[in-house]
Amino acid sequence: MKERVRIFRFGVIGTLNALIIALVVWLMTKWLSFEGDYLVANVTAYVIAQIHNFIWCKYWIFPNEKKKNSVWKQMAFFCTAFGVAYIAQFFFLVLLVEVFGVNEYLAQFLGLFIYGGVNFVVNKKITFQ
């Protein structure tokens, strides 16, 4: 598969993940009594989006006929990639909100780009190679 097709597919799924994350953050902060606790909403939203993300990455973005790694190894590597990308995004989020005083929703949105870039690179190089 050409790299530009893979990046396009990743962008499509990333956009869906962004919508899932935004919806969960909004629901948790406005309707489920987590108002003001943007960090709990952020963690929950990213975990939910990751389940969605793994399935699409495995079968549509990074399909691999060779089956070098078992599904369990891929899940472990995927969780590691998630952890690395999430930590980068989380520190970026906290830095923007707590140090620079950026609006929590705008910081969540900007953090998606940090997360997406790190996640794509780590999954391409390690998880679905």
Side-chain angles (χ1 to χ4, degrees), residues 13 16 51-62:
I13 299 307
L16 290 174
I51 295 166
H52 172 262
N53 196 21
F54 177 77
I55 295 166
W56 285 105
C57 280
K58 178 166 178 49
Y59 296 106
W60 194 51
I61 299 169
F62 301 106

Side-chain angles (χ1 to χ4, degrees), residues 7-73:
I7 290 171
F8 173 78
R9 288 179 176 187
F10 190 81
V12 169
I13 299 307
T15 301
L16 290 174
N17 283 342
L19 293 173
I20 291 168
I21 290 166
L23 179 64
V24 171
V25 166
W26 178 75
L27 285 172
M28 289 185 72
T29 58
K30 295 297 179 191
W31 294 99
L32 298 177
S33 301
F34 284 91
E35 190 166 327
D37 198 352
Y38 68 95
L39 298 177
V40 172
N42 181 269
V43 170
T44 304
Y46 272 85
V47 169
I48 291 170
Q50 274 312 104
I51 295 166
H52 172 262
N53 196 21
F54 177 77
I55 295 166
W56 285 105
C57 280
K58 178 166 178 49
Y59 296 106
W60 194 51
I61 299 169
F62 301 106
N64 189 348
E65 301 298 325
K66 298 177 187 175
K67 307 280 186 199
K68 179 179 179 183
N69 293 325
S70 70
V71 70
W72 296 108
K73 279 187 179 180

Side-chain angles (χ1 to χ4, degrees), residues 55-112:
I55 295 166
W56 285 105
C57 280
K58 178 166 178 49
Y59 296 106
W60 194 51
I61 299 169
F62 301 106
N64 189 348
E65 301 298 325
K66 298 177 187 175
K67 307 280 186 199
K68 179 179 179 183
N69 293 325
S70 70
V71 70
W72 296 108
K73 279 187 179 180
Q74 286 178 337
M75 287 173 65
F77 289 146
F78 194 80
C79 288
T80 301
F82 165 70
V84 170
Y86 183 78
I87 288 169
Q89 173 277 147
F90 188 81
F91 283 125
F92 182 74
L93 171 68
V94 172
L95 179 71
L96 287 181
V97 173
E98 303 297 332
V99 175
F100 295 111
V102 174
N103 175 280
E104 294 170 7
Y105 292 107
L106 176 59
Q108 298 267 8
F109 174 73
L110 295 173
L112 290 170

